[in-house]
Amino acid sequence: MKILGFESSCDETSVAVVADGLVLSSVVASQIKLHAEYGGVVPELATREHLRNLLPVAQSALHEAGLRPTDITGVAATRGPGLPSALMVGFRAAQSFAWVLNQPFLGIHHHEAHLYSPWIGGQPPRAEFDHFEPAISLIVSGGHTLLVHVPSEAEHVVLGSTYDDAAGECFDKAAKLVGLPYPGGPEMDRLAAQGNPSAYAFPRPLINEPNDDFSFSGLKTAVRYFLRDHPEVLEDGQKVRDMCASVQQAIVDVLVTKTLRAAARLRVGCVSGSGGVTCNRGLRGALSLACRRQGLRLRLADPSLCTDNAAMIAILAERKFLRAEPSTPWSADILPGWPLANSGSGTASPA
Ligand code: KG4
Ligand code: ZN
């Protein structure tokens, strides 16, 4: 099969070509610089940028793959969740491609694609589902924090999510309070690498609760009050680095503790992780150490595939086409609030 995949759920316009499990191309036009000025993603600007970039990105993806549009045998796009107007650009463009090429079309759940992206490996990247094993998967991004049981390649059960802010949002908001540019997560990661994670004690919300849910808004508030009471910290470069390391450690401790606890409870031998926050070196290191101690295998998405990309959309679509999941009807619309629990097949309907 030769699949053309589209992703436009937030602030990356991406198109990828996958052939028989191999990623032939994955082109990503990031809008980070555009939104940095506003300290967050502005939906109207994101949509216009997707409209501007989508066709050139699709042309580059086909060109890099050395294919013509008529070589494509299946088309897929992110159907949800995401920013409604942003989703619409990639979804409708992909449907039009599929219709003109007279090829099947699949609308893909964005988090289901993140969920299986740890099983894309190597250089050039290819699907490694021969190595699939039941796992507890942590999906941590700017909008979501999900703990998922993945008993088989085609099944997933959402165990928990966040009551309020996502882990990435907590990174970004704490970084903003410290005065770091948007998106703050990567900046926090960079400064934390030179700081002392035990310098300041920040709360680890819900860490001892016997459930799989998360809550990060209290931690963000703790950072705000800490800076109100200790403004001098911002005057000292080393104290800022110590603070970044301490905030990062609080987030990482919660994510790692709850993920490993779920893995022990459900007796899986593998932990997997994906989503933008999985780029965080503190999280990658802590998960790696904890899994080694508990004799668990760890599969983390390659950093290039942690953030939003169309390669994960096209790879998952190909697996679904191979499993003969029904294609998404032409009348189907985007699903901006699509819950992961309902993403099982191409025709899954919204809750
Ligand atoms: O998955 P993603 O690209 O987009 C969403 O679907 O949200 O994730 C973006 C999030 C942002 O909050 C960003 O700050 C965070 O991932 N992020 C990081 C790092 N790289 C990206 N957070 C902490 N450390 C990083 N190295
Ligand atoms: Zn994402």
Side-chain angles (χ1 to χ4, degrees):
M1 299 194 77
K2 293 186 177 64
I3 310 295
L4 188 63
F6 290 75
E7 154 63 34
S8 70
S9 63
C10 190
D11 59 345
E12 330 273 358
T13 315
S14 180
V15 180
V17 179
V18 162
D20 301 326
L22 186 66
V23 179
L24 298 184
S25 64
S26 178
V27 180
V28 183
S30 173
Q31 304 176 6
I32 281 182
K33 284 199 185 121
L34 175 72
H35 300 289
E37 198 184 322
Y38 304 93
V41 177
V42 184
E44 171 73 14
L45 294 182
T47 305
R48 282 165 188 266
E49 201 64 4
H50 286 311
L51 280 171
R52 198 171 292 133
N53 289 336
L54 196 100
L55 285 179
V57 166
Q59 278 173 325
S60 302
L62 282 164
H63 180 76
E64 260 183 47
L67 297 180
R68 290 165 304 176
T70 47
D71 295 322
I72 295 300
T73 61
V75 182
T78 303
R79 189 175 176 190
L83 300 172
S85 53
L87 282 169
M88 227 179 285
V89 176
F91 189 75
R92 284 289 182 235
Q95 274 183 324
S96 309
F97 260 91
W99 184 72
V100 168
L101 298 172
N102 195 25
Q103 296 298 338
F105 171 72
L106 264 182
I108 295 290
H109 193 289
H110 182 79
H111 294 130
E112 193 181 354
H114 272 308
L115 192 63
Y116 292 101
S117 62
W119 282 275
I120 307 172
Q123 208 44 256
R126 62 162 57 249
E128 294 180 338
F129 288 100
D130 293 349
H131 300 291
F132 180 85
E133 60 180 317
I136 290 298
S137 183
L138 178 67
I139 304 177
V140 265
S141 69
H144 295 268
T145 304
L146 292 164
L147 205 52
V148 187
H149 181 209
V150 199
S152 81
E153 200 205 307
E155 272 177 292
H156 47 264
V157 181
V158 178
L159 302 172
S161 61
T162 178
Y163 293 145
D164 37 58
D165 290 358
E169 207 174 342
C170 187
F171 266 112
D172 293 343
K173 286 181 176 164
K176 195 171 176 183
L177 291 170
V178 178
L180 302 176
Y182 172 86
E187 281 296 305
M188 273 258 193
D189 185 355
R190 193 175 61 77
L191 294 181
Q194 301 150 40
N196 173 7
S198 319
Y200 305 108
F202 287 105
R204 271 91 171 134
L206 304 187
I207 197 165
N208 292 319
E209 291 296 314
N211 60 30
D212 299 310
D213 290 319
F214 301 92
S215 165
F216 289 106
S217 71
L219 174 53
K220 177 191 68 190
T221 308
V223 171
R224 182 187 295 278
Y225 287 153
F226 175 83
L227 287 172
R228 182 196 61 190
D229 298 340
H230 304 278
E232 72 285 356
V233 166
L234 295 179
E235 307 298 320
D236 181 325
Q238 188 52 45
K239 285 186 178 154
V240 168
R241 290 188 282 276
D242 288 345
M243 192 180 150
C244 288
S246 302
V247 173
Q248 176 174 294
Q249 194 62 50
I251 299 172
V252 166
D253 280 353
V254 174
L255 295 175
V256 173
T257 303
K258 300 205 98 165
T259 304
L260 272 280
R261 200 185 292 152
R265 190 179 78 240
L266 288 153
R267 297 199 169 89
V268 296
C270 181
V271 162
S272 62
S274 60
V277 178
T278 319
C279 290
N280 184 270
R281 288 168 295 169
L283 177 61
R284 293 180 90 87
L287 276 173
S288 160
L289 187 66
C291 285
R292 208 175 320 130
R293 281 196 185 132
Q294 299 217 7
L296 297 168
R297 274 168 301 284
L298 177 64
R299 278 193 88 97
L300 295 178
D302 186 85
S304 64
L305 294 171
C306 280
T307 45
D308 293 345
N309 65 88
M312 66 181 187
I313 303 296
I315 287 273
L316 178 60
E318 187 179 41
R319 302 301 290 182
K320 286 175 175 278
F321 279 128
L322 289 171
R323 290 200 292 267
E325 287 195 19
S327 38
T328 306
W330 297 120
S331 56
D333 201 353
I334 53 161
L335 299 174
W338 197 2
L340 181 57
N342 283 8
S343 70
S345 91
T347 53
S349 51

PDB file of all heavy atoms in Angstrom, residues 201-224:
ATOM      1  N   ALA A 201      10.737  22.456  46.901  1.00  0.00           N
ATOM      2  CA  ALA A 201       9.717  21.390  46.996  1.00  0.00           C
ATOM      3  C   ALA A 201       8.399  21.862  46.400  1.00  0.00           C
ATOM      4  O   ALA A 201       7.758  22.768  46.936  1.00  0.00           O
ATOM      5  CB  ALA A 201       9.528  21.004  48.455  1.00  0.00           C
ATOM      6  N   PHE A 202       8.014  21.282  45.266  1.00  0.00           N
ATOM      7  CA  PHE A 202       6.717  21.584  44.667  1.00  0.00           C
ATOM      8  C   PHE A 202       5.805  20.370  44.824  1.00  0.00           C
ATOM      9  O   PHE A 202       6.281  19.234  44.917  1.00  0.00           O
ATOM     10  CB  PHE A 202       6.883  21.940  43.185  1.00  0.00           C
ATOM     11  CG  PHE A 202       7.488  23.297  42.995  1.00  0.00           C
ATOM     12  CD1 PHE A 202       8.807  23.446  42.603  1.00  0.00           C
ATOM     13  CD2 PHE A 202       6.726  24.436  43.236  1.00  0.00           C
ATOM     14  CE1 PHE A 202       9.366  24.709  42.459  1.00  0.00           C
ATOM     15  CE2 PHE A 202       7.272  25.703  43.087  1.00  0.00           C
ATOM     16  CZ  PHE A 202       8.588  25.843  42.701  1.00  0.00           C
ATOM     17  N   PRO A 203       4.475  20.605  44.876  1.00  0.00           N
ATOM     18  CA  PRO A 203       3.549  19.477  45.089  1.00  0.00           C
ATOM     19  C   PRO A 203       3.563  18.483  43.935  1.00  0.00           C
ATOM     20  O   PRO A 203       3.878  18.839  42.795  1.00  0.00           O
ATOM     21  CB  PRO A 203       2.179  20.146  45.204  1.00  0.00           C
ATOM     22  CG  PRO A 203       2.329  21.511  44.639  1.00  0.00           C
ATOM     23  CD  PRO A 203       3.773  21.897  44.769  1.00  0.00           C
ATOM     24  N   ARG A 204       3.277  17.207  44.263  1.00  0.00           N
ATOM     25  CA  ARG A 204       3.127  16.130  43.264  1.00  0.00           C
ATOM     26  C   ARG A 204       1.642  15.743  43.283  1.00  0.00           C
ATOM     27  O   ARG A 204       1.259  14.794  43.972  1.00  0.00           O
ATOM     28  CB  ARG A 204       3.973  14.913  43.639  1.00  0.00           C
ATOM     29  CG  ARG A 204       5.399  14.939  43.094  1.00  0.00           C
ATOM     30  CD  ARG A 204       6.353  15.590  44.054  1.00  0.00           C
ATOM     31  NE  ARG A 204       7.747  15.425  43.625  1.00  0.00           N
ATOM     32  CZ  ARG A 204       8.634  16.419  43.612  1.00  0.00           C
ATOM     33  NH1 ARG A 204       8.278  17.653  43.965  1.00  0.00           N
ATOM     34  NH2 ARG A 204       9.879  16.178  43.240  1.00  0.00           N
ATOM     35  N   PRO A 205       0.776  16.477  42.558  1.00  0.00           N
ATOM     36  CA  PRO A 205      -0.676  16.245  42.709  1.00  0.00           C
ATOM     37  C   PRO A 205      -1.101  14.814  42.361  1.00  0.00           C
ATOM     38  O   PRO A 205      -0.640  14.242  41.373  1.00  0.00           O
ATOM     39  CB  PRO A 205      -1.296  17.243  41.723  1.00  0.00           C
ATOM     40  CG  PRO A 205      -0.225  18.240  41.441  1.00  0.00           C
ATOM     41  CD  PRO A 205       1.071  17.534  41.605  1.00  0.00           C
ATOM     42  N   LEU A 206      -1.957  14.265  43.210  1.00  0.00           N
ATOM     43  CA  LEU A 206      -2.598  12.941  43.044  1.00  0.00           C
ATOM     44  C   LEU A 206      -1.612  11.773  43.029  1.00  0.00           C
ATOM     45  O   LEU A 206      -2.004  10.652  42.697  1.00  0.00           O
ATOM     46  CB  LEU A 206      -3.460  12.875  41.770  1.00  0.00           C
ATOM     47  CG  LEU A 206      -4.576  13.913  41.588  1.00  0.00           C
ATOM     48  CD1 LEU A 206      -5.418  13.570  40.338  1.00  0.00           C
ATOM     49  CD2 LEU A 206      -5.493  13.965  42.783  1.00  0.00           C
ATOM     50  N   ILE A 207      -0.362  12.016  43.387  1.00  0.00           N
ATOM     51  CA  ILE A 207       0.635  10.943  43.235  1.00  0.00           C
ATOM     52  C   ILE A 207       0.276   9.713  44.071  1.00  0.00           C
ATOM     53  O   ILE A 207       0.550   8.580  43.662  1.00  0.00           O
ATOM     54  CB  ILE A 207       2.069  11.455  43.541  1.00  0.00           C
ATOM     55  CG1 ILE A 207       3.110  10.480  42.974  1.00  0.00           C
ATOM     56  CG2 ILE A 207       2.301  11.685  45.027  1.00  0.00           C
ATOM     57  CD1 ILE A 207       4.517  11.041  42.899  1.00  0.00           C
ATOM     58  N   ASN A 208      -0.339   9.920  45.234  1.00  0.00           N
ATOM     59  CA  ASN A 208      -0.665   8.768  46.084  1.00  0.00           C
ATOM     60  C   ASN A 208      -2.110   8.306  45.956  1.00  0.00           C
ATOM     61  O   ASN A 208      -2.527   7.393  46.665  1.00  0.00           O
ATOM     62  CB  ASN A 208      -0.357   9.099  47.558  1.00  0.00           C
ATOM     63  CG  ASN A 208       1.148   9.247  47.759  1.00  0.00           C
ATOM     64  OD1 ASN A 208       1.932   8.468  47.207  1.00  0.00           O
ATOM     65  ND2 ASN A 208       1.553  10.282  48.490  1.00  0.00           N
ATOM     66  N   GLU A 209      -2.862   8.939  45.074  1.00  0.00           N
ATOM     67  CA  GLU A 209      -4.261   8.529  44.882  1.00  0.00           C
ATOM     68  C   GLU A 209      -4.308   7.195  44.143  1.00  0.00           C
ATOM     69  O   GLU A 209      -3.571   7.001  43.160  1.00  0.00           O
ATOM     70  CB  GLU A 209      -5.028   9.564  44.054  1.00  0.00           C
ATOM     71  CG  GLU A 209      -5.271  10.869  44.759  1.00  0.00           C
ATOM     72  CD  GLU A 209      -6.159  10.714  45.978  1.00  0.00           C
ATOM     73  OE1 GLU A 209      -7.193  10.034  45.876  1.00  0.00           O
ATOM     74  OE2 GLU A 209      -5.791  11.258  47.045  1.00  0.00           O
ATOM     75  N   PRO A 210      -5.168   6.270  44.590  1.00  0.00           N
ATOM     76  CA  PRO A 210      -5.209   4.964  43.925  1.00  0.00           C
ATOM     77  C   PRO A 210      -6.038   4.989  42.638  1.00  0.00           C
ATOM     78  O   PRO A 210      -6.946   4.184  42.454  1.00  0.00           O
ATOM     79  CB  PRO A 210      -5.854   4.068  44.984  1.00  0.00           C
ATOM     80  CG  PRO A 210      -6.720   4.989  45.758  1.00  0.00           C
ATOM     81  CD  PRO A 210      -6.091   6.353  45.717  1.00  0.00           C
ATOM     82  N   ASN A 211      -5.784   5.961  41.771  1.00  0.00           N
ATOM     83  CA  ASN A 211      -6.465   5.989  40.463  1.00  0.00           C
ATOM     84  C   ASN A 211      -5.419   6.356  39.412  1.00  0.00           C
ATOM     85  O   ASN A 211      -4.254   6.569  39.731  1.00  0.00           O
ATOM     86  CB  ASN A 211      -7.630   6.992  40.465  1.00  0.00           C
ATOM     87  CG  ASN A 211      -7.141   8.405  40.760  1.00  0.00           C
ATOM     88  OD1 ASN A 211      -6.015   8.772  40.444  1.00  0.00           O
ATOM     89  ND2 ASN A 211      -7.983   9.212  41.382  1.00  0.00           N
ATOM     90  N   ASP A 212      -5.841   6.406  38.143  1.00  0.00           N
ATOM     91  CA  ASP A 212      -4.888   6.669  37.060  1.00  0.00           C
ATOM     92  C   ASP A 212      -5.061   8.079  36.500  1.00  0.00           C
ATOM     93  O   ASP A 212      -4.661   8.340  35.364  1.00  0.00           O
ATOM     94  CB  ASP A 212      -5.066   5.621  35.949  1.00  0.00           C
ATOM     95  CG  ASP A 212      -4.801   4.213  36.472  1.00  0.00           C
ATOM     96  OD1 ASP A 212      -3.751   4.011  37.104  1.00  0.00           O
ATOM     97  OD2 ASP A 212      -5.655   3.325  36.268  1.00  0.00           O
ATOM     98  N   ASP A 213      -5.684   8.960  37.288  1.00  0.00           N
ATOM     99  CA  ASP A 213      -5.915  10.325  36.815  1.00  0.00           C
ATOM    100  C   ASP A 213      -4.812  11.283  37.267  1.00  0.00           C
ATOM    101  O   ASP A 213      -4.051  10.973  38.184  1.00  0.00           O
ATOM    102  CB  ASP A 213      -7.279  10.822  37.314  1.00  0.00           C
ATOM    103  CG  ASP A 213      -8.421  10.099  36.618  1.00  0.00           C
ATOM    104  OD1 ASP A 213      -8.315   9.886  35.391  1.00  0.00           O
ATOM    105  OD2 ASP A 213      -9.394   9.722  37.296  1.00  0.00           O
ATOM    106  N   PHE A 214      -4.790  12.420  36.601  1.00  0.00           N
ATOM    107  CA  PHE A 214      -3.769  13.432  36.877  1.00  0.00           C
ATOM    108  C   PHE A 214      -4.437  14.785  37.131  1.00  0.00           C
ATOM    109  O   PHE A 214      -5.607  14.981  36.783  1.00  0.00           O
ATOM    110  CB  PHE A 214      -2.830  13.581  35.665  1.00  0.00           C
ATOM    111  CG  PHE A 214      -2.117  12.311  35.295  1.00  0.00           C
ATOM    112  CD1 PHE A 214      -2.667  11.440  34.353  1.00  0.00           C
ATOM    113  CD2 PHE A 214      -0.910  11.981  35.887  1.00  0.00           C
ATOM    114  CE1 PHE A 214      -2.020  10.261  34.009  1.00  0.00           C
ATOM    115  CE2 PHE A 214      -0.254  10.806  35.556  1.00  0.00           C
ATOM    116  CZ  PHE A 214      -0.802   9.948  34.612  1.00  0.00           C
ATOM    117  N   SER A 215      -3.694  15.693  37.723  1.00  0.00           N
ATOM    118  CA  SER A 215      -4.160  17.066  37.907  1.00  0.00           C
ATOM    119  C   SER A 215      -2.912  17.938  38.003  1.00  0.00           C
ATOM    120  O   SER A 215      -2.047  17.675  38.838  1.00  0.00           O
ATOM    121  CB  SER A 215      -4.979  17.174  39.197  1.00  0.00           C
ATOM    122  OG  SER A 215      -5.128  18.531  39.539  1.00  0.00           O
ATOM    123  N   PHE A 216      -2.809  18.932  37.150  1.00  0.00           N
ATOM    124  CA  PHE A 216      -1.588  19.751  37.172  1.00  0.00           C
ATOM    125  C   PHE A 216      -1.850  21.235  37.452  1.00  0.00           C
ATOM    126  O   PHE A 216      -0.912  22.009  37.537  1.00  0.00           O
ATOM    127  CB  PHE A 216      -0.816  19.595  35.849  1.00  0.00           C
ATOM    128  CG  PHE A 216      -0.177  18.241  35.712  1.00  0.00           C
ATOM    129  CD1 PHE A 216      -0.707  17.291  34.844  1.00  0.00           C
ATOM    130  CD2 PHE A 216       0.940  17.909  36.467  1.00  0.00           C
ATOM    131  CE1 PHE A 216      -0.134  16.032  34.722  1.00  0.00           C
ATOM    132  CE2 PHE A 216       1.524  16.648  36.361  1.00  0.00           C
ATOM    133  CZ  PHE A 216       0.994  15.716  35.486  1.00  0.00           C
ATOM    134  N   SER A 217      -3.137  21.629  37.620  1.00  0.00           N
ATOM    135  CA  SER A 217      -3.374  23.065  37.792  1.00  0.00           C
ATOM    136  C   SER A 217      -2.856  23.540  39.155  1.00  0.00           C
ATOM    137  O   SER A 217      -2.391  24.667  39.287  1.00  0.00           O
ATOM    138  CB  SER A 217      -4.848  23.395  37.602  1.00  0.00           C
ATOM    139  OG  SER A 217      -5.585  22.908  38.679  1.00  0.00           O
ATOM    140  N   GLY A 218      -2.909  22.665  40.183  1.00  0.00           N
ATOM    141  CA  GLY A 218      -2.420  23.040  41.517  1.00  0.00           C
ATOM    142  C   GLY A 218      -0.918  23.292  41.503  1.00  0.00           C
ATOM    143  O   GLY A 218      -0.417  24.194  42.185  1.00  0.00           O
ATOM    144  N   LEU A 219      -0.219  22.516  40.715  1.00  0.00           N
ATOM    145  CA  LEU A 219       1.238  22.682  40.623  1.00  0.00           C
ATOM    146  C   LEU A 219       1.564  24.038  39.982  1.00  0.00           C
ATOM    147  O   LEU A 219       2.443  24.775  40.441  1.00  0.00           O
ATOM    148  CB  LEU A 219       1.826  21.514  39.825  1.00  0.00           C
ATOM    149  CG  LEU A 219       3.308  21.566  39.484  1.00  0.00           C
ATOM    150  CD1 LEU A 219       4.166  21.795  40.713  1.00  0.00           C
ATOM    151  CD2 LEU A 219       3.736  20.257  38.806  1.00  0.00           C
ATOM    152  N   LYS A 220       0.796  24.351  38.939  1.00  0.00           N
ATOM    153  CA  LYS A 220       0.990  25.650  38.260  1.00  0.00           C
ATOM    154  C   LYS A 220       0.743  26.799  39.250  1.00  0.00           C
ATOM    155  O   LYS A 220       1.508  27.751  39.324  1.00  0.00           O
ATOM    156  CB  LYS A 220       0.000  25.716  37.091  1.00  0.00           C
ATOM    157  CG  LYS A 220       0.004  26.982  36.322  1.00  0.00           C
ATOM    158  CD  LYS A 220      -1.190  27.015  35.378  1.00  0.00           C
ATOM    159  CE  LYS A 220      -2.513  27.111  36.124  1.00  0.00           C
ATOM    160  NZ  LYS A 220      -3.698  26.925  35.295  1.00  0.00           N
ATOM    161  N   THR A 221      -0.321  26.659  40.060  1.00  0.00           N
ATOM    162  CA  THR A 221      -0.635  27.691  41.053  1.00  0.00           C
ATOM    163  C   THR A 221       0.474  27.774  42.107  1.00  0.00           C
ATOM    164  O   THR A 221       0.845  28.873  42.550  1.00  0.00           O
ATOM    165  CB  THR A 221      -1.993  27.375  41.733  1.00  0.00           C
ATOM    166  OG1 THR A 221      -2.945  27.162  40.699  1.00  0.00           O
ATOM    167  CG2 THR A 221      -2.458  28.502  42.619  1.00  0.00           C
ATOM    168  N   ALA A 222       1.019  26.614  42.485  1.00  0.00           N
ATOM    169  CA  ALA A 222       2.112  26.601  43.477  1.00  0.00           C
ATOM    170  C   ALA A 222       3.321  27.377  42.939  1.00  0.00           C
ATOM    171  O   ALA A 222       3.999  28.092  43.685  1.00  0.00           O
ATOM    172  CB  ALA A 222       2.495  25.161  43.812  1.00  0.00           C
ATOM    173  N   VAL A 223       3.581  27.232  41.636  1.00  0.00           N
ATOM    174  CA  VAL A 223       4.702  27.959  41.020  1.00  0.00           C
ATOM    175  C   VAL A 223       4.421  29.470  41.089  1.00  0.00           C
ATOM    176  O   VAL A 223       5.289  30.271  41.444  1.00  0.00           O
ATOM    177  CB  VAL A 223       4.924  27.512  39.553  1.00  0.00           C
ATOM    178  CG1 VAL A 223       5.936  28.403  38.846  1.00  0.00           C
ATOM    179  CG2 VAL A 223       5.358  26.048  39.508  1.00  0.00           C
ATOM    180  N   ARG A 224       3.179  29.841  40.791  1.00  0.00           N
ATOM    181  CA  ARG A 224       2.816  31.268  40.818  1.00  0.00           C
ATOM    182  C   ARG A 224       3.030  31.854  42.223  1.00  0.00           C
ATOM    183  O   ARG A 224       3.655  32.895  42.394  1.00  0.00           O
ATOM    184  CB  ARG A 224       1.335  31.426  40.400  1.00  0.00           C
ATOM    185  CG  ARG A 224       0.869  32.862  40.360  1.00  0.00           C
ATOM    186  CD  ARG A 224      -0.635  32.930  40.113  1.00  0.00           C
ATOM    187  NE  ARG A 224      -1.015  32.426  38.814  1.00  0.00           N
ATOM    188  CZ  ARG A 224      -0.949  33.143  37.695  1.00  0.00           C
ATOM    189  NH1 ARG A 224      -0.520  34.379  37.748  1.00  0.00           N
ATOM    190  NH2 ARG A 224      -1.311  32.620  36.549  1.00  0.00           N
TER     191      ARG A 224
END
